[in-house]
Amino acid sequence: MKKGLFITLEGPDGSGKTTVATLIVEELKKRGFSVVHTREPGGIEIAEQIRKVILDPKNTAMDARTEALLYAASRRQHLVERVFPALKEGKIVLCERFLDSSLAYQGYGRQIGFDDVLKINDFAIEGCFPDLTLFLDIDEEEGLKRIGDRAFKDRLDQESIDFHHRVKQGYEEVLRRFPERIRIVDASRPVEEVLKNCLDIILEAAE
Ligand code: TMP
């Protein structure tokens, strides 16, 4: 059924995903590609509603498995409403965060376990793994410094540094398990260099 190209952008908080994704989309459009730029959790109305519940700093009572299920639920709805139709039309879908974020943040950060999180996500994604994942690699402490002056900090931004260290270990496990679809991009460099690196990889995959 899949005809387009499903690309995900991953990395720790503060790795520059939104900035880079916006620039990538501009460049791809200039080259005549039809691109859908979206993000998780969110991207469509129902998933944005779920995002609010997950990230609301007031929801301190939220259980880790509830959190994992809500991310998977928002993922499912977003796939059905946004990603599947765009892929069917042959478009490039560039999605900030996807399955690997759950594996890293819930599997390792929340310590639910990589395979349990993969299992509930199998149900949600029905085999729709990304064709390509760009991992924006940055030291997690550096990333947190970058977002340090954001006025609003969501429930996950407020987590301890130990949590973010575990998330980084989770991403390392993701890289070990899915080496065939993931490319590492050094995100500590100036944005023009990061953009060029990402574009080269995407254009090669889109050929
Ligand atoms: P964002 O700030 O990149 O939009 O993402 C919101 C937060 O949600 C971020 O701290 C990462 C987290 N997250 C998870 O914990 N699991 C997931 O599956 C996804 C998609 C995001």
Side-chain angles (χ1 to χ4, degrees):
M1 165 199 121
K2 216 162 75 170
K3 283 199 305 192
L5 193 64
F6 184 26
I7 303 172
T8 60
L9 210 53
E10 291 282 353
D13 291 278
S15 52
K17 289 180 294 300
T18 303
T19 308
V20 175
T22 306
L23 295 170
I24 291 173
V25 170
E26 256 174 44
E27 290 297 324
L28 289 175
K29 284 188 174 165
K30 267 191 222 159
R31 287 166 173 79
F33 290 100
S34 188
V35 191
V36 171
H37 178 192
T38 187
R39 70 159 183 183
E40 277 202 0
I44 43 117
E45 184 51 36
I46 293 173
E48 290 290 343
Q49 288 179 31
I50 298 174
R51 177 186 176 96
K52 281 202 191 104
V53 174
I54 302 175
L55 296 179
D56 188 339
K58 290 201 294 290
N59 286 337
T60 50
M62 191 178 293
D63 171 70
R65 284 173 183 252
T66 305
E67 182 182 285
L69 288 164
L70 286 174
Y71 276 116
S74 103
R75 177 158 303 132
R76 172 71 193 169
Q77 190 65 28
H78 178 250
L79 277 174
V80 169
E81 277 194 58
R82 193 104 202 251
V83 180
F84 290 157
L87 291 176
K88 213 170 163 192
E89 287 168 17
K91 295 183 176 161
I92 295 180
V93 175
L94 182 65
C95 185
E96 296 175 40
R97 297 196 180 280
F98 186 62
L99 166 71
D100 301 330
S101 285
S102 283
L103 297 171
Y105 282 77
Q106 281 65 55
Y108 268 67
R110 297 285 188 226
Q111 298 176 299
I112 295 175
F114 193 97
D115 288 306
D116 280 345
V117 174
L118 188 55
K119 227 184 278 167
I120 60 162
N121 276 279
D122 270 343
F123 179 72
I125 72 173
E126 286 188 299
C128 186
F129 285 91
D131 298 301
L132 172 67
T133 298
L134 300 174
F135 177 66
L136 297 189
D137 193 15
I138 190 166
D139 177 76
E140 57 276 27
E141 301 203 15
E142 185 55 40
L144 288 177
K145 248 189 252 158
R146 283 189 185 178
I147 62 166
D149 8 293
R150 267 187 205 166
F152 174 74
K153 294 222 174 15
D154 66 41
R155 202 168 55 80
L156 274 89
D157 292 336
Q158 293 177 7
E159 276 301 328
S160 68
I161 188 66
D162 284 348
F163 174 84
H164 291 282
H165 287 318
R166 289 197 299 275
V167 168
K168 191 67 189 290
Q169 288 168 6
Y171 273 126
E172 283 161 12
E173 178 72 22
V174 167
L175 295 169
R176 279 193 292 276
R177 297 270 195 118
F178 303 108
E180 66 293 340
R181 68 168 163 87
I182 305 187
R183 300 287 296 272
I184 303 174
V185 173
D186 176 359
S188 67
R189 295 171 298 170
V191 67
E192 309 77 53
E193 286 180 37
V194 178
L195 171 64
K196 182 174 182 319
N197 197 168
C198 291
L199 260 186
D200 287 347
I201 296 169
I202 291 173
L203 291 172
E204 191 190 315
E207 266 171 10

